Amino acid sequence: MKSNRSRYAILGVLSEGPASGYDIRKTIEQELSHFWNESYGQIYPILRALAEERLATRRRKKQRGKPDRQVYSITAKGRRALREWLSEPPSLQTERNETLLKLFFSGNLDTTERRELIEAYREKQRERLVEYEGIERSLEESSPEHPDLKFWLLTVSHGRAEARARIRWSDQVLREIEAREVAKGRSRRRA
Amino acid sequence: MKSNRSRYAILGVLSEGPASGYDIRKTIEQELSHFWNESYGQIYPILRALAEERLATRRRKKQRGKPDRQVYSITAKGRRALREWLSEPPSLQTERNETLLKLFFSGNLDTTERRELIEAYREKQRERLVEYEGIERSLEESSPEHPDLKFWLLTVSHGRAEARARIRWSDQVLREIEAREVAKGRSRRRA
DNA sequence: TAGAGCATGTAATAGGTTACATGATTAG
DNA sequence: CTAATCATGTAACCTATTACATGCTCTA
């Protein structure tokens, strides 16, 4: 079994119920966007492949006034494949952090630009905290009785913990480079 | 100017001094591996392109007993390109987290597998904390007087803060799913 | 009447990993 | 003798984003 993570993200959404490519995109956007994303360019070809491999079935639903929907449903084989993947240890790959890359080489920047880099990072994490409110609410409202709701909310709590840690780190960095600035100012005056 | 992050990671390494593709790989592995990675399949073609665009120059160094080295040096134009990229706001793209994806759909797992998923995550973060010791030491020893050392160490401190937050989150999750287990056990006995 | 939402899909392009080929030296 | 290190590079493949094409309906 190939280990394409997008396949399993899509199978995962299908495990909650039948859906079209469009639905899947929307679900991922609304409920998983804090740690996952998929574009149509991935979704549609993968759905076709899932159907060919009998991990999902497809049927066309006619609609009036709207384009036809291709609705996919997970099969028993699909559920088995999903469960198998879920129980494998996650593949480890370095997560890249562009802000850290820029900070690492920020000797090539002036102090203002470096401060702005960190301030922007901090601000982005603050925005994420706000987004989590919305995601949490939308998860709770969409299916308040769903037995898996608790797991969904735990992913939000992960995002919050991470964002808060990054904000604290940013504050620490800003204090440090601030202190350095002041020290430099003093030594310039003394010189 | 194209916004290929690998180009700039490589230019960044070259901004510290001349290096071969092999050197660059090693440097990234030793000093940036906690937030960045590059494979030879990226490095060699990009170096060639950088030379063609006059962002770097290349000269062949003969060696006895070892293959020749192709040593690249950043040019003034290369430094300008790097500085320009560094001062642009980082491109935002969702960081994917495979563990969270699995947790989200872990309704398809049994409780033991779910616990193992989180325990493995926790353990990976603990391992990262140990790796940071090594990275920090290697950074400090390789160039203890380097004016940018402080920025390099800040990237390590970011990694630590993140790993610690993730460990705390894991502990919280483990407590929660443990509590749920106990509750279930009780209700089963009562039933 | 403009724009957003519904809905499917493909093509071009970009970004990235892995495997392979080659071959000498050095350390255990 | 074996494995690791030095060193460069390519080809095949996989993964992912963006732009494009199409066209209806509903809302502001």
Side-chain angles (χ1 to χ4, degrees):
Chain A
M1 196 57 47
K2 276 173 294 179
S3 187
N4 177 323
R5 292 137 86 232
S6 294
R7 293 164 64 86
Y8 296 102
I10 291 167
L11 266 184
V13 175
L14 288 181
S15 81
E16 300 286 331
S20 67
Y22 191 83
D23 296 337
I24 290 170
R25 178 80 225 277
K26 241 191 351 178
T27 299
I28 292 178
E29 179 65 30
Q30 282 169 14
E31 304 184 355
L32 298 105
S33 63
H34 52 306
F35 63 86
W36 208 263
N37 64 316
E38 293 296 345
S39 59
Y40 289 127
Q42 291 271 93
I43 293 171
Y44 285 113
I46 287 176
L47 281 173
R48 180 174 295 268
L50 291 177
E52 272 163 23
E53 296 170 47
R54 306 270 174 258
L55 303 177
T57 56
R58 132 159 103 168
R59 52 180 197 286
R60 159 171 276 114
K61 287 236 169 147
K62 294 249 165 80
Q63 299 196 120
R64 34 176 173 80
K66 287 179 191 173
D68 289 358
R69 281 159 56 84
Q70 302 281 349
V71 178
Y72 291 82
S73 307
I74 194 167
T75 63
K77 190 179 171 196
R79 275 188 201 280
R80 277 197 300 276
L82 174 62
R83 266 198 298 265
E84 206 191 302
W85 178 78
L86 285 173
S87 63
E88 281 164 17
S91 60
L92 24 88
Q93 31 196 164
T94 322
E95 315 159 31
R96 292 169 157 203
N97 184 321
E98 191 175 326
T99 297
L100 293 187
L101 184 63
K102 291 189 171 185
L103 177 61
F104 195 95
F105 294 119
S106 71
N108 296 285
L109 286 178
D110 64 43
T111 51
T112 308
E113 288 169 317
R114 179 161 39 240
R115 186 161 26 78
E116 282 165 1
L117 174 70
I118 304 302
E119 278 167 356
Y121 189 65
R122 190 187 190 284
E123 180 53 24
K124 197 161 50 166
Q125 305 304 319
R126 294 232 330 113
E127 283 163 20
R128 284 180 61 188
L129 285 180
V130 175
E131 284 164 33
Y132 293 143
E133 301 294 323
I135 293 167
E136 188 166 70
R137 220 174 309 125
S138 117
L139 285 172
E140 276 167 346
E141 280 166 19
S142 74
S143 16
E145 302 297 302
H146 198 292
D148 296 349
L149 177 60
K150 48 191 176 292
F151 307 131
W152 305 347
L153 294 177
L154 285 174
T155 66
V156 176
S157 110
H158 181 281
R160 285 212 176 95
E162 198 167 80
R164 279 194 224 107
R166 289 175 175 184
I167 289 171
R168 278 194 299 272
W169 173 83
S170 302
D171 288 336
Q172 179 216 318
V173 174
L174 289 170
R175 269 197 308 275
E176 272 195 39
I177 63 184
E178 194 69 21
R180 207 178 301 280
E181 283 316 284
V182 174
K184 259 199 201 144
R186 255 204 310 278
S187 65
R188 252 203 304 281
R189 271 193 297 280
R190 261 183 295 153
Chain B
M1 194 59 46
K2 274 174 292 178
S3 187
N4 178 324
R5 290 131 92 232
S6 295
R7 292 164 64 87
Y8 296 102
I10 292 167
L11 266 184
V13 175
L14 289 181
S15 81
E16 301 285 330
S20 68
Y22 191 83
D23 296 335
I24 290 169
R25 178 80 224 276
K26 242 192 347 178
T27 300
I28 291 177
E29 180 65 30
Q30 282 169 12
E31 304 184 355
L32 296 104
S33 62
H34 52 305
F35 62 84
W36 208 261
N37 64 318
E38 294 296 344
S39 59
Y40 288 128
Q42 291 270 91
I43 292 172
Y44 285 114
I46 287 175
L47 281 173
R48 181 175 293 270
L50 291 178
E52 273 164 24
E53 296 171 47
R54 307 268 176 259
L55 303 178
T57 56
R58 130 158 106 170
R59 50 180 199 284
R60 156 171 278 115
K61 289 236 168 145
K62 293 246 166 81
Q63 298 194 119
R64 33 178 174 77
K66 287 179 192 171
D68 289 358
R69 282 160 54 83
Q70 302 282 348
V71 179
Y72 292 82
S73 307
I74 194 167
T75 62
K77 190 179 170 194
R79 275 189 200 280
R80 277 196 300 276
L82 174 62
R83 266 199 298 265
E84 206 191 303
W85 178 78
L86 285 173
S87 64
E88 281 164 16
S91 63
L92 24 87
Q93 31 196 166
T94 321
E95 315 158 33
R96 290 170 157 205
N97 184 320
E98 192 174 325
T99 297
L100 293 187
L101 184 63
K102 291 189 170 181
L103 176 62
F104 195 96
F105 294 118
S106 71
N108 296 286
L109 287 178
D110 63 43
T111 52
T112 308
E113 287 168 317
R114 180 163 37 241
R115 186 161 25 78
E116 283 166 359
L117 174 69
I118 304 301
E119 278 166 357
Y121 189 66
R122 190 187 190 284
E123 181 53 24
K124 196 160 52 166
Q125 305 305 317
R126 295 229 333 111
E127 282 164 20
R128 283 179 62 187
L129 284 180
V130 176
E131 284 164 32
Y132 293 143
E133 301 294 323
I135 294 167
E136 188 166 70
R137 221 176 306 123
S138 118
L139 285 172
E140 275 165 348
E141 279 166 18
S142 73
S143 15
E145 302 296 303
H146 198 291
D148 296 349
L149 177 59
K150 48 190 178 294
F151 307 131
W152 305 346
L153 294 177
L154 285 174
T155 66
V156 176
S157 110
H158 181 281
R160 285 211 177 97
E162 198 167 80
R164 278 194 226 110
R166 289 175 174 184
I167 289 172
R168 276 194 301 271
W169 173 83
S170 302
D171 288 337
Q172 180 215 317
V173 174
L174 290 169
R175 269 197 309 274
E176 271 195 39
I177 66 184
E178 193 70 19
R180 209 179 299 279
E181 282 318 283
V182 173
K184 260 198 200 143
R186 252 204 312 276
S187 66
R188 252 202 306 280
R189 273 193 297 278
R190 258 184 295 152

